[in-house]
Amino acid sequence: MTRHQKRLAVPNSWPVARKEQTYTVKADAGPHGEAGVPLLIILRDVLGYADSRKEARYALRQGSVLVNGAPASDVERPVGMFDILGFEEREEFYRVFPDEGGRLSLTPIDADAAGSKLGKVTGKRHVDGGRVQLTLHDGRTLVTDHEDVGGNDSVVIDNETGEIVAHFPYEEEALVTAVQGQHAGEIGTVERIEVTPGSAPNDVIVSQDGDGFETIAEYVVVIDENFVEDDGEPEDAVAEADPEVTEE
């Protein structure tokens, strides 16, 4: 199986220039499905910390590049929405966050915020012992006693213990961000949730200081005030690096 992916065919969420070169690296199997961006692209194309696959591999062998608190070892490991990247030697930490258009970008955060990760609940079922199993947006499953957590809610998971440390219900007046669709990257407050009969997706009306937008429930994620600056806008993200680099 080829290690390469045509740039023109990558998901819209990938932060790569599509017309500068023919190929880019292909994501390995892992979390986030097809939307997961290979770690090599983050190190090379976004941050510019490596000029080639060889340099990126060397950096990972040092054990100082963390994904959700654990050392990363594979340059093709998928990284996706709300993952936490840490560079211990540089004392730099980032949250992967969708910007306008749904393209993933890196938002600088402090070391304390890097100790946990937000997850959207996409599935819930009861298991033996009276506990519940939650499925999160990145495919992770979590068995917990938090019976009050429901579908489309968000939870914050401690990277070290794997325990839920915060819970944000999906309800009216909740702070949300759109992660897909034409309003991707926009932040607002849920004004109204419209339940659609049958198999059609539910709609959600999001307000933004007198303005707002309408989208489907699948496209929004409940967040907290730590995801926005004092002016109510998303925190500044790291721009893409120069895409004119070698593949290997």
Side-chain angles (χ1 to χ4, degrees):
M1 184 178 295
T2 179
R3 294 184 307 174
H4 298 91
Q5 162 81 52
K6 284 192 173 182
R7 285 179 178 253
L8 288 175
V10 301
N12 292 332
S13 60
W14 284 31
V16 298
R18 285 165 170 73
K19 297 183 179 180
E20 299 294 340
Q21 296 181 14
T22 303
Y23 294 99
T24 187
V25 65
K26 185 176 183 179
D28 203 350
H32 302 288
E34 295 182 354
V37 181
L39 185 56
L40 173 59
I41 289 179
I42 301 296
L43 295 175
R44 185 188 64 188
D45 299 354
V46 178
L47 293 171
Y49 289 169
D51 291 330
S52 65
R53 182 192 297 265
K54 182 178 180 180
E55 288 187 7
R57 282 175 171 165
Y58 176 81
L60 296 188
R61 283 199 296 269
Q62 309 312 304
S64 60
V65 179
L66 309 179
V67 179
N68 301 326
S73 59
D74 183 2
V75 294
E76 297 176 0
R77 183 210 191 277
V79 175
M81 184 174 67
F82 302 129
D83 276 344
I84 303 296
L85 299 182
F87 300 88
E88 290 189 318
E89 292 184 357
R90 295 173 177 268
E91 297 183 345
E92 294 178 4
F93 303 91
Y94 300 94
R95 179 187 293 115
V96 181
F97 197 79
D99 64 8
E100 293 185 8
R103 178 171 289 195
L104 297 177
S105 59
L106 301 182
T107 299
I109 57 176
D110 59 31
D112 290 338
S116 59
K117 173 189 172 183
L118 186 84
K120 177 180 178 177
V121 178
T122 59
K124 174 183 177 180
R125 70 183 185 92
H126 288 83
V127 295
D128 293 341
R131 310 186 78 192
V132 294
Q133 177 178 290
L134 306 177
T135 302
L136 304 184
H137 70 278
D138 57 1
R140 179 178 182 178
T141 59
L142 178 70
V143 177
T144 177
D145 294 320
H146 289 258
E147 177 68 36
D148 57 329
V149 177
N152 290 327
D153 288 2
S154 290
V155 292
V156 177
I157 310 298
D158 185 279
N159 288 333
E160 183 175 347
T161 66
E163 297 294 326
I164 295 176
V165 295
H167 169 215
F168 306 117
Y170 173 66
E171 60 188 7
E172 293 183 1
E173 300 186 2
L175 184 67
V176 297
T177 182
V179 297
Q180 296 184 59
Q182 63 180 358
H183 298 287
E186 297 185 34
I187 290 176
T189 303
V190 174
E191 179 178 318
R192 187 170 70 257
I193 299 172
E194 298 181 344
V195 179
T196 305
S199 60
N202 295 333
D203 294 327
V204 56
I205 312 300
V206 180
S207 63
Q208 301 171 303
D209 295 328
D211 198 0
F213 61 88
E214 178 177 353
T215 186
I216 64 176
E218 180 184 352
Y219 286 0
V220 298
V221 177
V222 184
I223 58 176
D224 72 350
E225 65 277 2
N226 293 324
F227 282 70
V228 297
E229 296 180 328
D230 293 338
D231 59 4
E233 294 295 323
E235 296 176 300
D236 292 336
V238 176
E240 292 179 42
D242 187 349
E244 291 292 342
V245 294
T246 60
E247 180 58 41
E248 297 297 333

